[in-house]
Structure formats: structure tokens, C-alpha cells
Amino acid sequence: MKLKQPDTPAKDSIDVTRRTFLRAAVALGGAVVAGGVPMVVLGQQGGAGTVTRNPLRIPGASTPSGLTLTCAPGTASLGGGRSTSAWLYNGQFPGPTLVANSGERAVITLSNKLPQQSITHWHGMLVPHAADGHPHQVVQPDGSYKYDFTINQRATLNWYHPHPHLKTGEQVYRGLAGAFIIRDSVDTGAAGNSLGLPFGAYEVPLIIRDATFDSRGNLSFGNKSSGFFGNTPLVNGTLAPFLAVDKAVYRFRVLNGCNARVLRLALSNEAPIHLIGNEGGLLGSPPVSLTEIMVGPGERLDLLVDLRGLGQGSTVTLRCLGAGWDLLQFRGTGVAGGTGSIPTGSLSTIAALVGPTTVTRTFTFDGMTRINGKVYDMNRIDFRVPFGVVERWRFVTNGNGPHPVHVHGAYFQVKSRSGGRARVYPWEQGWKDTVLVHDGETVDVLIRFDAHRGLYVMHCHQLAHEDNGMMTNFEVV
Ligand code: C2O
Ligand code: CU
Ligand code: CU
């Protein structure tokens, strides 16, 4: 991936006249016209123009071949002169974006400089047990762990984060998370890619999460068993970010990195967002045009946004409708740029798993701490799954949702949802590794473990639930 350098710091590019105009527009109900596209300008915490926005941070890229990843306490700058104490991978918040081609070998040494035990998991990577970051593999402070695996899967956005038993929520919250992008011969992330997808500065990872700060401006973590909900959004560790955008199609690689919060993404002008992929890479359909997309903790989205009509100085904002937050403001540079476009045909071919119509296994997500009535025990293996066989798994819950159910070691295909929202959404097609189960819902998936045998876990990715025991060990045999 060609890296976009962070925008030059924080001279607000909206001049006084424009600010006044924006305020007037908000007062009048917010309709302004930008580049011929009617655009609703929505205020954030006091109205457009009154918030000082900070340039979106773009984490630096690293190769996973021969990487030392150190997790340690440090200080993270949040933009606008604000900083917080945090726990960081290689001093960065979020951690470096790992980028590799499918077929490459990842050799990574994790060095734990935290005051407590840790282990890193590569969420979405199909790796042998020994490289999966199972809670059994935790290393003590000053210890290290060596990962060595071959990346053998299609292009997608995965991520990495700690996975020690009982401490995942706190460690992720304090800043330990990063993107892991896999490329392949179709999704090369470079000029000439066969789908014409935006690349370079026009492909931007967005790690969205929430946080709460104490009176000194440091991240504060309230470890509630019902789940942590912060009162402030951060994108790539930036407070109130903006991104200067050319007249171009942009590709946003989105990760919901929140401990518990489900995000409902939309654009402030209600323009369509073109969905092209999720956890398992590009969809097996043409892009799907949507005005709102729901993404739960751990889930990823691959989105195209057409900003070719955004004139110089005009803005449009990526919002979370659930929290009513402005997440990221796009500010037009007026410069025509980029060669990316929105594909019209099918993005990839995904063969539907063929498997049993009767349920192989049922998992109930009970209370806030149990699966099938049991609290997680690292030393208990709850079930065994035959290698290479398609099974139908059923996820059921009656309360304390939403539960983002995540499986290690395989991707699955969502077949049905009954009760609750009673449908499968466009962003739930193709290959998934995490699926949201709301209260009263029953979700069926087909799954086949055909990458590795060994011990893996399935758990709720609401991290307070996970830490409190909503996790299970199983063995692929
Ligand atoms: Cu993202 Cu088992 O976790
Ligand atoms: Cu995972
Ligand atoms: Cu849960």
C-alpha cells in the first residue's frame, strides 16, 4: 500500500466567511449545494464551524515479515495538541498497519512491555493454533512470543489486538489494535488493479472506536460487566478528525474497534455508500448501494464513497446515526484526482457452502458471561469439529445483546436470521468471521474448518462479555 502522509496540521482550512456561511446554513436547516450535489451540513457538538477539527492520522505501514511488535505503555497524540497515556503497539495509536500479499510468510516477535500478561491475536487470519494468540499462549511482562505463519487466504482487511484471558477489553481499550491488510492478485492495492479500485492516498483505513477521557485528558476505562461505552468517537486515534479529499472515489477500509458499541454508518448528505466487501474480502456480487450500514465490534467493511462532486471547501461527514456522532469530516480540496471508480460487475466469485439443512450445533449466548450455560474455562474443550466438513451452527440469544459472535480458525456464511431483525443484511453476505446477534434473534451459519486442525475459540466480541466468560474452546480434529 502506498501510504498517505498525514495532512499538514491543523490550520483550519475553512475561512471566516465560509464559517459564517456554514452557521447560517445550519440555522436555516442546513441545505447547501456543493459541486451540484445537495448537501446537508450537520453540526457536531455546537454546530458546524465551531469544532476545531484535526487531520486524520494514517498509521504507518509495516511488513509482517521479520517484524518486532512491542506492546508498551506510552503517550498517544490525539490531534489538536491533546494527548493521552495509552498502551501502544510500537508506540503508535492505532498500531502500524501490517500489509502483506497472500502467500507471504509472517514472522513476528511480540515483545510484552506491559505491566501485565498479554498475547496478540490476528483477527481474521487463518493461522495454526500456535500462531492464533489463544489465551493459553500469554506471555508475562518482559516476555516475548514468536509467530510464524504463511498467509494463505484472499485479500481483505483483518486486524490484530490482545487476547489474554480476562484482560482483552482493557488492553484493546487502552489502545492496542491495528489493521492487517492482505492483498492478492485481484485486490492489489495498486495502479492497474483489475476492478479499478481506488488505491494509494485514495484508500484509507478507518479504525473507529469510542473512548472516555478523565479530567486530565487521559483515556479512562470503566470496566462494567454490561460493556464499555465511551462518550467520544476516535477515528484512527484522532479526535474530531477531518480528511482533505480530492474530487475522487475513495475506498474506506472500516473496522469497528469499539469494545461494545454497534455503529450505524451514514453520510451527512444521505448520499449512497457503495459496499464492496466485509471480513472475508470482496463480495460475490456487484457493489451494493446503501444509505446506512450497521457494523458491530470486530466486523469490517470495505466501502466506496464517490466524492467527485465535492467542491473546494465543501464538506460532507461520515456519521454514526446510533450515537448521533460526526465521525469524520471530508473537506473538498477541489482538485480532481485518483483513477478509482465504482465497479459495476460482480466483485468476486464466492461459492456458496453446501451443507446440512438441519442444525449441527446450537450455541446459546446466556446472560453476559456464558455460552451454553458455561463460563469460559481455558482448560476445558467444549466440542470437537471434524476438519473439512460443512456444519450448520445456530447462534441464539434472549437478552443482553447485541452479541457480536466471532469464530477463530474459519470464515462462515450467514444463512438466516429469525426473530428480532429477521433478515440477513447485504453486508452479511459472502465470508464473515463475526456476526451480530441481537436480543431475540436466531442466526444460522454454514461453516467449514479447512485451514488448520487444532484448538481455537469462539466468543462474543463485546469485550466485557468475552472477558467475563462468554467464550468457548473447541478443537478441529
Ligand atoms: Cu478479535 Cu478472538 O478476537
Ligand atoms: Cu479472531
Ligand atoms: Cu455478548
Side-chain angles (χ1 to χ4, degrees):
M1 183 170 64
K2 202 139 122 272
L3 283 178
K4 184 181 191 307
Q5 288 310 309
D7 294 288
T8 39
K11 176 158 52 83
D12 195 328
S13 67
I14 300 180
D15 64 30
V16 175
T17 323
R18 170 114 192 117
R19 279 173 186 279
T20 313
F21 172 60
L22 285 173
R23 275 204 210 94
V26 169
L28 292 169
V32 297
V33 173
V37 182
M39 187 168 75
V40 179
V41 178
L42 294 169
Q44 139 127 359
Q45 297 137 11
T50 62
V51 169
T52 306
R53 294 200 154 265
N54 307 305
L56 178 73
R57 202 176 90 74
I58 309 292
S62 292
T63 164
S65 100
L67 176 73
T68 298
L69 206 53
T70 302
C71 48
T75 303
S77 120
L78 303 168
R82 285 197 48 186
S83 62
T84 175
S85 57
W87 288 353
L88 306 167
Y89 281 116
N90 290 2
Q92 297 189 48
F93 179 50
T97 298
L98 307 187
V99 186
N101 289 312
S102 189
E104 274 178 35
R105 184 168 157 206
V107 181
I108 303 170
T109 303
L110 175 73
S111 166
N112 180 18
K113 299 294 178 191
L114 299 175
Q116 57 185 231
Q117 57 185 27
S118 192
I119 189 71
T120 294
H121 165 62
W122 320 97
H123 182 136
M125 308 299 289
L126 300 174
V127 298
H129 164 75
D132 196 44
H134 187 277
H136 268 307
Q137 292 151 352
V138 288
V139 289
Q140 302 305 318
D142 286 326
S144 63
Y145 193 90
K146 181 98 177 273
Y147 299 86
D148 187 342
F149 57 90
T150 299
I151 298 161
N152 184 16
Q153 57 190 99
R154 60 206 300 260
T156 194
L157 166 66
N158 286 333
W159 63 302
Y160 60 97
H161 63 78
H163 217 293
H165 189 34
L166 306 173
K167 290 289 187 188
T168 295
E170 178 176 7
Q171 293 189 7
V172 171
Y173 178 78
R174 295 200 180 283
L176 293 168
F180 196 146
I181 293 176
I182 307 175
R183 306 295 192 189
D184 63 15
S185 59
V186 175
D187 187 358
T188 59
N193 71 85
S194 57
L195 289 168
L197 297 174
F199 60 91
Y202 302 96
E203 180 188 21
V204 184
L206 302 178
I207 301 185
I208 306 172
R209 55 160 295 174
D210 53 358
T212 296
F213 296 94
D214 65 19
S215 56
R216 304 214 313 278
N218 289 317
L219 284 169
S220 74
F221 184 55
N223 194 10
K224 287 229 237 89
S225 54
S226 55
F228 178 88
F229 290 86
N231 60 16
T232 306
L234 294 173
V235 184
N236 296 350
T238 313
L239 272 171
F242 75 88
L243 180 68
V245 293
D246 293 342
K247 293 182 151 183
V249 176
Y250 277 78
R251 181 181 187 189
F252 295 108
R253 314 296 302 268
V254 176
L255 161 68
N256 180 340
C258 295
N259 280 46
R261 187 182 293 278
V262 176
L263 302 168
R264 284 169 53 204
L265 302 179
L267 293 170
S268 55
N269 60 354
E270 292 165 25
I273 299 174
H274 305 271
L275 171 79
I276 60 168
N278 54 10
E279 290 99 278
L282 294 169
L283 302 179
S285 73
V288 185
S289 162
L290 298 159
T291 51
E292 181 186 335
I293 305 179
M294 202 182 301
V295 59
E299 289 185 306
R300 282 90 72 203
L301 296 169
D302 200 342
L303 306 175
L304 298 180
V305 176
D306 189 348
L307 295 170
R308 286 176 291 199
L310 196 69
Q312 180 182 10
S314 296
T315 64
V316 63
T317 302
L318 180 68
R319 310 197 75 235
C320 172
L321 299 180
W325 284 339
D326 286 356
L327 299 171
L328 173 62
Q329 181 190 62
F330 304 120
R331 276 186 198 169
T333 63
V335 176
T339 54
S341 57
I342 297 168
T344 48
S346 210
L347 295 155
S348 74
T349 304
I350 296 181
L353 286 176
V354 178
T357 52
T358 56
V359 176
T360 318
R361 303 169 201 276
T362 299
F363 302 97
T364 61
F365 292 80
D366 308 319
M368 295 185 279
T369 60
R370 285 163 290 128
I371 296 175
N372 287 347
K374 290 179 186 158
V375 171
Y376 183 62
D377 175 348
M378 265 204 288
N379 298 310
R380 186 187 68 227
I381 297 176
D382 292 317
F383 59 102
R384 292 191 162 75
V385 187
F387 183 86
V389 176
V390 181
E391 296 195 340
R392 180 176 286 256
W393 289 12
R394 173 165 288 179
F395 305 133
V396 184
T397 187
N398 290 306
N400 303 291
H403 303 284
V405 175
H406 171 50
V407 185
H408 289 211
Y411 283 82
F412 52 78
Q413 296 179 352
V414 180
K415 300 315 286 184
S416 66
R417 175 182 282 111
S418 57
R421 295 170 295 158
R423 56 172 292 196
V424 176
Y425 290 91
W427 52 87
E428 296 178 315
Q429 59 172 307
W431 292 109
K432 295 276 292 169
D433 67 25
T434 307
V435 65
L436 270 177
V437 186
H438 283 211
D439 291 347
E441 292 183 357
T442 296
V443 173
D444 278 13
V445 306
L446 290 178
I447 190 165
R448 178 177 61 204
F449 292 83
D450 52 12
H452 302 280
R453 291 181 166 81
L455 183 67
Y456 293 96
V457 291
M458 172 173 68
H459 59 88
C460 179
H461 221 287
Q462 207 274 44
L463 298 179
H465 291 180
E466 170 182 349
D467 282 338
N468 290 325
M470 193 172 268
M471 176 146 76
T472 176
N473 275 330
F474 62 91
E475 193 178 6
V476 179
V477 294

